[in-house]
Amino acid sequence: MRVWLRRISDQSLFSKLFLVMVLSIITVTVATSWVTVQMSEELFVKTFSITNSKIIEQIKSGLESIHYSNVNIIINTAQSGAIKRFLTERDVDSETNSVVTFDMSEQMKRIQSGIGAKSIGMIISGINGKNYTRYNTYWSGTSADLERNPITQESRNQPGRLLYSYLGEGTPGSGDQGVVAAKTMTDPVSKEWYGTLYIIMKESVLRSFYASFTSDGNDVMILDRQGLIVSSNRAELIGTTSKELLDSAQKIRQNGLAKDEMKMADKDVIVLADDLALYDFYIMNVIDKKVTLGQMLNRKSIFFLVAGIVAIAVLVVYVITRRLMLSLRRLVKQMSTVTKTNFNNYMAVTGTYETRELSRSFNFMLDELNDYISQLVDTQKEQRKAELAALQQQINPHFLYNTLASVNILVQRGSQESATQTIHALISLLQNTISNVNETIPVVQELVNLKHYVFINQIRYGQGIKVDYFVSPDCMPAQVPKLMLQPFIENAFFHAFNKKGTGYIYVIITKEKDTLLCEVVDNGDGMELTNVADEIPNPTSARQLFTGIGIRNVNDRLVLLYGEQYGVTITSTLGQGTKISICLPWRTEQ
């Protein structure tokens, strides 16, 4: 993303302006087209929903007519004495049984023919274990299968209702998919049940009421209260359970919604639902928005129309913008010949009024810039020299004071030979530091100076504090500031072993990639820091009060020479010791 933004920012003003105009045209055109399409879709969905709601009412009315026909069958069957006798009496003799069965079958035939219900099958099952089936082609099961069906027990729990249930592949011995209606027949006086009437309808009977209203992307489904699809124009869904549709139907019913929009099988659909209370079912209309709206809106034509409008608008904008930007492009081309380091490339004052004014202003700016840069360079050079000289002068007197104090003590003790050796060491130090005008020296020379200094201190304080050097051979030619390590060795000698008395100081110099790392580590008393990441110790400590100037000046000197990323870091733990880390850039030449 940043690369693209950088490329755009590097383009010319004409390119940027043209890009903005093109994006604006595309945005406005696409937004207008999108809003128009959305409004058309919303209007279509609203109109389609109203129309389909009326269709659902019509389908519902047809299904209710089947229910009332079934109710008439129930009434006529319950009023038939022949049927009741068949279902209640026990077997007497073959002749009597034949008469009872014949009377019952004739009565069942008259009931069905009188109502005109030719597309259903009927099964009666009595308390005496007898049963009779009419039009068994509608279902290949037995009355025993129906006895085991949950609807049988449910109808006995609710003897006053005609109950409906799905009857299909999930029932043992089932044939074609369909719906079974069950009603328990009871004695009007004793209220005891004596039989059950089952009315079996093929699923195609229900589908015939809505098949003419369905199309691709416009489906009708009938669900029971558990979400089982009892009937649908999509045969593959019959007998399956859809929790999504059930939840949608319950949501519409409970909230009184006209419709519900949801995702079904990764498709955006509109759901219309109504309650088939007589069946204890839901009737639902599921509309696939993409398919249905695709039939109404020719998206390909809309796309080509929008693309044509955008292409014409972009062409017009390109021609107009190019003509308006021509004079400015000429000026930019002339000014681009000025390099970043050459501030004497003045512009020729020619061209239009705007170009001439810009050229004069640019030439005046070059004059002022040249004067300012010249003054700034001189000032910075003088300031840098003064700061480095001041820091150097702060370090040297501090070092000389402590060294001469050591010599004075040796003379007072009468150690003439040691004093002479110390003076020779001091002379060598002065020759390599004060007489050497270079700001930096090689590590090998810094080590020589450091060993002279350590010798002076060991002469004064004895051999209780040992100093060991661990320097990588490849670091010997590396350049370091003069007297960089001496303040830290001095600090360790004077204050790191006030409690312990004896110990070790280690000087470690290594190379890490492009960095020179110098460390001064002691195992002395340690000290308390404000923060373990602080570069300067706690100002309240005695150690800081004595040597803070030298340590801080080394750090400031390194920052001036090399930048903020380099300098001194101090870490210390009471009772364990202190580590000074000095980070420098790797350089082998002054």
PDB file of all heavy atoms in Angstrom, residues 16 103 119 154 208 297 356 391 533 554 558 574:
ATOM      1  N   LYS A  16      -2.056  13.546 -11.308  1.00  0.00           N
ATOM      2  CA  LYS A  16      -2.868  13.491 -10.089  1.00  0.00           C
ATOM      3  C   LYS A  16      -4.256  14.075 -10.320  1.00  0.00           C
ATOM      4  O   LYS A  16      -5.269  13.492  -9.898  1.00  0.00           O
ATOM      5  CB  LYS A  16      -2.167  14.247  -8.961  1.00  0.00           C
ATOM      6  CG  LYS A  16      -0.869  13.604  -8.496  1.00  0.00           C
ATOM      7  CD  LYS A  16      -0.221  14.437  -7.415  1.00  0.00           C
ATOM      8  CE  LYS A  16       1.111  13.818  -6.964  1.00  0.00           C
ATOM      9  NZ  LYS A  16       1.784  14.653  -5.954  1.00  0.00           N
ATOM     10  N   ASP A 103     -71.061 -54.529   5.433  1.00  0.00           N
ATOM     11  CA  ASP A 103     -71.772 -53.280   5.754  1.00  0.00           C
ATOM     12  C   ASP A 103     -70.784 -52.133   5.954  1.00  0.00           C
ATOM     13  O   ASP A 103     -71.019 -51.008   5.511  1.00  0.00           O
ATOM     14  CB  ASP A 103     -72.621 -53.478   7.018  1.00  0.00           C
ATOM     15  CG  ASP A 103     -73.791 -54.429   6.785  1.00  0.00           C
ATOM     16  OD1 ASP A 103     -74.136 -54.630   5.601  1.00  0.00           O
ATOM     17  OD2 ASP A 103     -74.327 -54.950   7.778  1.00  0.00           O
ATOM     18  N   SER A 119     -58.807 -38.740  -4.309  1.00  0.00           N
ATOM     19  CA  SER A 119     -57.346 -38.740  -4.306  1.00  0.00           C
ATOM     20  C   SER A 119     -56.774 -39.023  -2.922  1.00  0.00           C
ATOM     21  O   SER A 119     -55.693 -38.588  -2.608  1.00  0.00           O
ATOM     22  CB  SER A 119     -56.826 -37.392  -4.804  1.00  0.00           C
ATOM     23  OG  SER A 119     -57.360 -36.347  -4.006  1.00  0.00           O
ATOM     24  N   GLU A 154     -50.601 -39.264  19.744  1.00  0.00           N
ATOM     25  CA  GLU A 154     -50.943 -37.840  19.883  1.00  0.00           C
ATOM     26  C   GLU A 154     -52.433 -37.615  19.658  1.00  0.00           C
ATOM     27  O   GLU A 154     -53.065 -36.796  20.335  1.00  0.00           O
ATOM     28  CB  GLU A 154     -50.102 -37.012  18.899  1.00  0.00           C
ATOM     29  CG  GLU A 154     -50.202 -35.514  19.095  1.00  0.00           C
ATOM     30  CD  GLU A 154     -49.628 -35.076  20.432  1.00  0.00           C
ATOM     31  OE1 GLU A 154     -48.742 -35.775  20.974  1.00  0.00           O
ATOM     32  OE2 GLU A 154     -50.087 -34.027  20.936  1.00  0.00           O
ATOM     33  N   SER A 208     -50.296 -29.722  -5.767  1.00  0.00           N
ATOM     34  CA  SER A 208     -51.135 -29.269  -6.888  1.00  0.00           C
ATOM     35  C   SER A 208     -51.761 -27.906  -6.638  1.00  0.00           C
ATOM     36  O   SER A 208     -52.138 -27.210  -7.581  1.00  0.00           O
ATOM     37  CB  SER A 208     -52.246 -30.302  -7.136  1.00  0.00           C
ATOM     38  OG  SER A 208     -53.101 -30.397  -6.000  1.00  0.00           O
ATOM     39  N   LEU A 297     -33.570  -7.525 -13.966  1.00  0.00           N
ATOM     40  CA  LEU A 297     -32.535  -6.564 -14.343  1.00  0.00           C
ATOM     41  C   LEU A 297     -31.472  -7.243 -15.189  1.00  0.00           C
ATOM     42  O   LEU A 297     -30.897  -8.255 -14.772  1.00  0.00           O
ATOM     43  CB  LEU A 297     -31.890  -5.958 -13.100  1.00  0.00           C
ATOM     44  CG  LEU A 297     -32.819  -5.176 -12.165  1.00  0.00           C
ATOM     45  CD1 LEU A 297     -32.068  -4.778 -10.901  1.00  0.00           C
ATOM     46  CD2 LEU A 297     -33.361  -3.935 -12.860  1.00  0.00           C
ATOM     47  N   ARG A 356       6.354  33.976 -15.609  1.00  0.00           N
ATOM     48  CA  ARG A 356       7.371  34.983 -15.282  1.00  0.00           C
ATOM     49  C   ARG A 356       7.412  35.268 -13.780  1.00  0.00           C
ATOM     50  O   ARG A 356       8.488  35.372 -13.182  1.00  0.00           O
ATOM     51  CB  ARG A 356       7.096  36.271 -16.053  1.00  0.00           C
ATOM     52  CG  ARG A 356       7.316  36.160 -17.559  1.00  0.00           C
ATOM     53  CD  ARG A 356       7.424  37.533 -18.198  1.00  0.00           C
ATOM     54  NE  ARG A 356       6.272  38.364 -17.924  1.00  0.00           N
ATOM     55  CZ  ARG A 356       5.167  38.402 -18.671  1.00  0.00           C
ATOM     56  NH1 ARG A 356       5.083  37.611 -19.749  1.00  0.00           N
ATOM     57  NH2 ARG A 356       4.164  39.190 -18.361  1.00  0.00           N
ATOM     58  N   LEU A 391      34.644  19.777  25.892  1.00  0.00           N
ATOM     59  CA  LEU A 391      34.555  18.453  26.489  1.00  0.00           C
ATOM     60  C   LEU A 391      35.943  17.869  26.735  1.00  0.00           C
ATOM     61  O   LEU A 391      36.189  17.225  27.756  1.00  0.00           O
ATOM     62  CB  LEU A 391      33.745  17.524  25.568  1.00  0.00           C
ATOM     63  CG  LEU A 391      32.250  17.812  25.487  1.00  0.00           C
ATOM     64  CD1 LEU A 391      31.606  16.899  24.449  1.00  0.00           C
ATOM     65  CD2 LEU A 391      31.593  17.605  26.838  1.00  0.00           C
ATOM     66  N   ALA A 533      18.100   0.882  32.686  1.00  0.00           N
ATOM     67  CA  ALA A 533      18.385   1.300  31.314  1.00  0.00           C
ATOM     68  C   ALA A 533      19.008   2.676  31.271  1.00  0.00           C
ATOM     69  O   ALA A 533      19.331   3.182  30.216  1.00  0.00           O
ATOM     70  CB  ALA A 533      17.104   1.274  30.473  1.00  0.00           C
ATOM     71  N   VAL A 554      32.125  11.905  28.695  1.00  0.00           N
ATOM     72  CA  VAL A 554      32.448  10.872  27.709  1.00  0.00           C
ATOM     73  C   VAL A 554      31.215  10.573  26.860  1.00  0.00           C
ATOM     74  O   VAL A 554      31.280  10.473  25.633  1.00  0.00           O
ATOM     75  CB  VAL A 554      32.952   9.595  28.403  1.00  0.00           C
ATOM     76  CG1 VAL A 554      33.056   8.443  27.393  1.00  0.00           C
ATOM     77  CG2 VAL A 554      34.318   9.845  29.036  1.00  0.00           C
ATOM     78  N   LEU A 558      30.776  11.328  22.826  1.00  0.00           N
ATOM     79  CA  LEU A 558      30.449  10.299  21.831  1.00  0.00           C
ATOM     80  C   LEU A 558      29.226  10.694  21.004  1.00  0.00           C
ATOM     81  O   LEU A 558      29.175  10.456  19.793  1.00  0.00           O
ATOM     82  CB  LEU A 558      30.197   8.960  22.530  1.00  0.00           C
ATOM     83  CG  LEU A 558      31.394   8.344  23.259  1.00  0.00           C
ATOM     84  CD1 LEU A 558      30.972   7.061  23.956  1.00  0.00           C
ATOM     85  CD2 LEU A 558      32.532   8.075  22.286  1.00  0.00           C
ATOM     86  N   LEU A 574      23.804  -3.983  43.383  1.00  0.00           N
ATOM     87  CA  LEU A 574      24.470  -3.850  44.679  1.00  0.00           C
ATOM     88  C   LEU A 574      25.045  -5.191  45.124  1.00  0.00           C
ATOM     89  O   LEU A 574      24.362  -6.212  45.117  1.00  0.00           O
ATOM     90  CB  LEU A 574      23.481  -3.331  45.729  1.00  0.00           C
ATOM     91  CG  LEU A 574      23.122  -1.827  45.660  1.00  0.00           C
ATOM     92  CD1 LEU A 574      22.027  -1.505  46.659  1.00  0.00           C
ATOM     93  CD2 LEU A 574      24.356  -0.985  45.913  1.00  0.00           C
TER      94      LEU A 574
END
